[in-house]
């Protein structure tokens, strides 16, 4: 599935993210340290989470919502 491909890509490109860290992301998004507008992608928010990778740095999660208006 595309979710499994995305997870494999995360582990390949971000060795500081373990499976346990990845599992915490949905819960931590509910209580972010900071939310900023992306400087590079219009309509995207960047969320700083209170999770540290194995490298000691906070996890930064780019989020882009696909919003559709219902009339």
């Amino acid at each position: 599935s595309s979710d499994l491909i995305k997870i494999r890509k995360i582990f390949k490109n971000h060795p500081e993210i373990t499976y346990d860290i990845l599992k915490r992301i949905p819960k931590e998004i509910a209580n972010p340290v900071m939310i900023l507008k992306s400087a590079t992608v219009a309509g995207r928010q960047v969320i700083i989470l209170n999770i540290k990778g194995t490298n000691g740095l906070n996890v930064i999660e780019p989020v882009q919502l696909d919003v559709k208006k219902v009339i």
Side-chain angles (χ1 to χ4, degrees), residues 13-29:
N13 295 332
H14 301 282
E16 71 279 5
I17 302 296
T18 64
Y19 179 72
D20 287 334
I21 291 170
L22 192 65
K23 286 189 335 185
R24 290 181 53 201
I25 290 175
K27 181 179 178 187
E28 293 295 332
I29 284 177

Side-chain angles (χ1 to χ4, degrees), residues 20-58:
D20 287 334
I21 291 170
L22 192 65
K23 286 189 335 185
R24 290 181 53 201
I25 290 175
K27 181 179 178 187
E28 293 295 332
I29 284 177
N31 190 28
V33 173
M34 191 180 323
I35 300 174
L36 309 166
K37 286 184 180 181
S38 172
T40 57
V41 179
R44 179 178 282 176
Q45 303 294 313
V46 178
I47 302 174
I48 312 300
L49 303 177
N50 194 25
I51 303 174
K52 301 242 186 253
T54 59
N55 60 1
L57 299 176
N58 281 70

